[in-house]
Amino acid sequence: MLLKDLLNERILILDGAMGSLIQQKGPEEKDYRGFELKNHPINLKGNHELLNLYCPGLVYDIHASYLEAGADIITTNSFNGNAVSQIDYKTENLCYRINLEASRIATKAAKKYSSVKKPRFVAGCIGPTSKSLSMSLYSETPGNEALTFAELAKAYKEQVEGLVEGSVDILMIETVFDTLNAKAAIYSINKVLQAKKTSIPVMISATISGESGRLLSGQNISAFYHSVSHAEPLVLGLNCGSGAKELKSFVQELSEEATCYVSFHPNAGIPDHEGKYTQTPQHMAKDVEKVLQNGKINITGGCCGTTPTHIEAFSELAQKYKPAKPATKKTYMVLAGLEPFKTNNNKELIYIGEKTNVSGSEKFSRLINSRNYRKAIEVAYQQIEDGADMLDICMDAAGVDSASAIKEFLAILSTNSALAKLPVMIDSSDFQTIITALQSIQGKPVVNSISLKDGVQPFIDKAKEIKNYGAAIVVMLFDEKGQADTTARRKEIALKSYKLLTEKAGFPPGDIVFDPNIMALGTKINKGENQAVSFIETCKYISSNFPKSNTTGGISNLSFGFRGANQPRKAIHRVFLKDASKAGLKFVIINPAEINNNNLPEKLINLAKSVVFHEDEKAMEELLKYANTNSTKKPAVKTKKSWREQDVVERLKYSLINGISDYMEYDIESAIEKFKQPYKIIEEILMPAMGEISIRFDEGTLFLPQVVRSATLFQKAVDILNPYMNSEINEKSCSKGKVVLATVEGDVHDIGKNIASIVFKCNGFEVTDLGIMVPAGKIVETAKETGADIIGLSGLITPSLQEMVNVALLLEKNGLNLPLIVGGAATSKKHTKKNIAPFYRGKVMHVKDASKIGAIVRKIV
């Protein structure tokens, strides 16, 4: 590229002010109107961009004067050539033409003065508008912007299309006072250039507010640079401000950080009481020379108040000095809030606070559900005080408009400097919520997450869109087959994802974070492989094969089954993180208050090691005993009588709740003698026991390994009863109907679904159980093939809510208005009523606890 070669060879000269020279030439009202706007109702004098249409000769002469003064690059007369600025004059319909003609006039002048020895270039000027996306219009109601990101991006898109059609050599986003405005311009540039399948170098220039070293929207220079680096600017610099002398130190700071070329075009000092800039070319040249001497810039020129005489003085000076060399590219990730966050900060692990996730905190969830966002900010403060380096923000909850909630929460967060200085992780399974969040953040965040679950092309498309907003990305190791639960599968999906991101989506390797999926201890999801060890092995693989990328994980998931037992959880985290960090784990999603684990008993640490790394069943039993003994919540003691001395009903309940299998067969046989009808044993003994287990798990007096063990025992009891039930069903020989059950796509949890299956069978239904991770299409197809009378959907995790909606939509589309049962921990009556019932013409029933499924089945019968 010729321009890049010249930037390496010498300091290039940019032109000076356009508005100052237009005012000197004194155009009249008629010059702004032409015949087209002869009867326009608004005074147009001062809308200088209209001169491109109605007085082009004046604009051409100004360009020529700067070229004669030695400018290598001239800027188009289009600073306010966007609909947002032109609407004040009711001339927004002319924006495309304004920019097209502005670029044609400048290009004509540049061609006339260009030579082999001194080629000239045209930069299409894109101004900031007078509006700010980051700063709210009303201080009491942040988020009520005078302008939305989409509106500004649309205006910039039209402007860029005109400039590109007019054949500019550079697209220059200048006088940036709000980084989010600049990101809207970058987004539009990317979209236009992608659509036209072409490339044009980008130049970005910010303006500093006073002596603060920050943009008006609050970011310091380094944070600004990293927040717009996804534009891959050829040149990045500073303009406007108080003058060359005042900007000197800030230019030096930028030059040391930027891996691109650096520009510098300040004002001619500060305007006097009449609004005139009084710094002479000679005086200003001395200040500019001090910057040139440091060898920190590649382009210099002028902004407000500068003239061709100023530019001529700079041109003469520039010949004496060598251009800057761009800084070495960083080998580590840099994120940004109002300030940069560098991941090479000597911290072994970076902690991401999980309590600003509605799934990670009951208090936060309650506040978000009641839309008390200002109070919810206190949770964020506490996470930072407890040691979080950044925040995981998630609003995915039943009954919550996640996009609206995250926008308002981020707006309030941005007004708190202590929180706003930090980067954030945007966590959502809804892509529109992610986009809404990205349109609300001026810094550089992390998006959590995308995966190959929906296929290759959606994965690439989402990655490209996230890149257009300048965010880093978390990749969950899922694909069309489901969640990776072995080391081999994790490595396979990681490699495939990395290649697609870097080769197809153009994603920088340093902005990729892999989540190898941490499974809860005691779930026995894959009996053949230790999940904690597999996670760590995958981290090693990623660190070795993709050294610029990082890894993350929700560490609380590992100890999820021990909720309420703080010390065992801390011990699990401690032993796991020690090895995981050595393997390359960098970002830890956790409640930072649970990190302080230095005073744990050695016995507990050793137990945790045996459980985490060896899944030793004996160690698990001992850890469960320890958890029960030291739980923050204790179950009520209902009787002092030995449990084996009680009647068969209480004995069976006790066995289920406590996971005791020794007497199950004997007690079931005893129960059959008493109840005669086997299904009554399930409904009147086993199901209530499972209901109590669910309650105790919610209270934190039982833990996930115990729940899994009880569910396994429940199945054993049903297996013992099956011959009796089959005999009874054969006697009745009448099917009550056909049921299709499934855990929806993206979810691997099936305890509740399995219980529902048993209850339906007990009540005479034919059940087709499709298992876990079932796509909506397969559920609908199976319902058609089997002639289903009822469909049951289960899900534990929040993303399952949308999958259930997807199933209902597809059923509706196919004209299958069957009774639909939705259940699982993720669901709620509120979500069902709000998101499924309004459009689904079939009967919709909700059951959160599988132990209550019997009542619904009886109602159906």
Side-chain angles (χ1 to χ4, degrees), residues 401-639:
D401 181 343
S402 57
S404 175
I406 205 163
K407 180 178 181 179
E408 191 160 350
F409 183 78
L410 287 169
I412 295 172
L413 185 145
S414 71
T415 65
N416 293 270
S417 58
L419 298 175
K421 71 180 182 180
L422 301 172
V424 295
M425 176 176 277
I426 299 304
D427 191 343
S428 181
S429 59
D430 176 53
F431 197 64
Q432 186 52 54
T433 297
I434 289 172
I435 296 302
T436 299
L438 292 176
Q439 292 180 352
S440 306
I441 297 170
Q442 66 170 319
K444 181 178 179 180
V446 183
V447 166
N448 186 4
S449 60
I450 65 169
S451 75
L452 285 164
K453 183 179 74 172
D454 297 323
V456 169
Q457 196 55 52
F459 178 78
I460 293 171
D461 292 342
K462 288 178 180 179
K464 285 182 176 179
E465 190 70 350
I466 291 167
K467 182 176 182 287
N468 282 337
Y469 287 99
I473 196 167
V474 172
V475 180
M476 294 290 291
L477 298 187
F478 280 72
D479 64 7
E480 298 95 325
K481 298 176 185 176
Q483 185 175 11
D485 57 1
T486 66
T487 306
R489 285 265 294 143
R490 287 181 168 102
K491 290 179 179 180
E492 174 195 344
I493 298 173
L495 177 60
K496 183 177 180 180
S497 300
Y498 183 84
K499 285 186 173 181
L500 289 171
L501 287 172
T502 55
E503 297 173 9
K504 300 294 184 182
F507 224 90
D511 284 346
I512 300 171
V513 183
F514 290 97
D515 187 340
N517 308 329
I518 295 181
M519 309 284 196
L521 290 171
T523 57
K524 299 183 180 179
I525 287 177
N526 189 315
K527 295 179 182 179
E529 188 162 355
N530 182 296
Q531 291 297 309
V533 173
S534 176
F535 181 97
I536 290 170
E537 288 300 317
T538 307
C539 285
K540 286 180 185 176
Y541 170 79
I542 290 167
S543 296
S544 298
N545 291 274
F546 322 127
K548 291 183 180 179
S549 300
N550 287 286
T551 49
T552 187
I555 305 306
S556 295
N557 291 346
L558 189 69
S559 64
F560 175 78
F562 292 86
R563 290 183 305 169
N566 291 336
Q567 281 201 317
R569 294 197 79 175
K570 286 184 177 182
I572 289 167
H573 297 163
R574 176 174 167 177
V575 300
F576 178 77
L577 287 176
K578 184 178 179 181
D579 279 36
S581 63
K582 291 177 183 176
L585 179 66
K586 189 67 176 178
F587 293 94
V588 179
I589 304 172
I590 195 170
N591 175 14
E594 295 177 1
I595 298 166
N596 183 13
N597 49 28
N598 294 325
N599 299 318
L600 298 173
E602 189 174 347
K603 179 184 177 182
L604 180 59
I605 294 294
N606 290 332
L607 278 175
K609 284 180 181 177
S610 296
V611 169
V612 170
F613 297 121
H614 307 294
E615 291 194 308
D616 184 299
E617 289 193 14
K618 185 178 178 182
M620 178 68 81
E621 291 293 332
E622 290 190 47
L623 190 59
L624 286 169
K625 286 179 184 177
Y626 191 102
N628 283 318
T629 305
N630 295 276
S631 172
T632 54
K633 296 180 180 179
K634 303 289 184 183
V637 177
K638 293 185 177 179
T639 177

Side-chain angles (χ1 to χ4, degrees), residues 56-68:
L58 183 150
V59 178
Y60 180 90
D61 289 344
I62 292 172
H63 287 320
S65 65
Y66 280 121
L67 291 164
E68 289 173 0

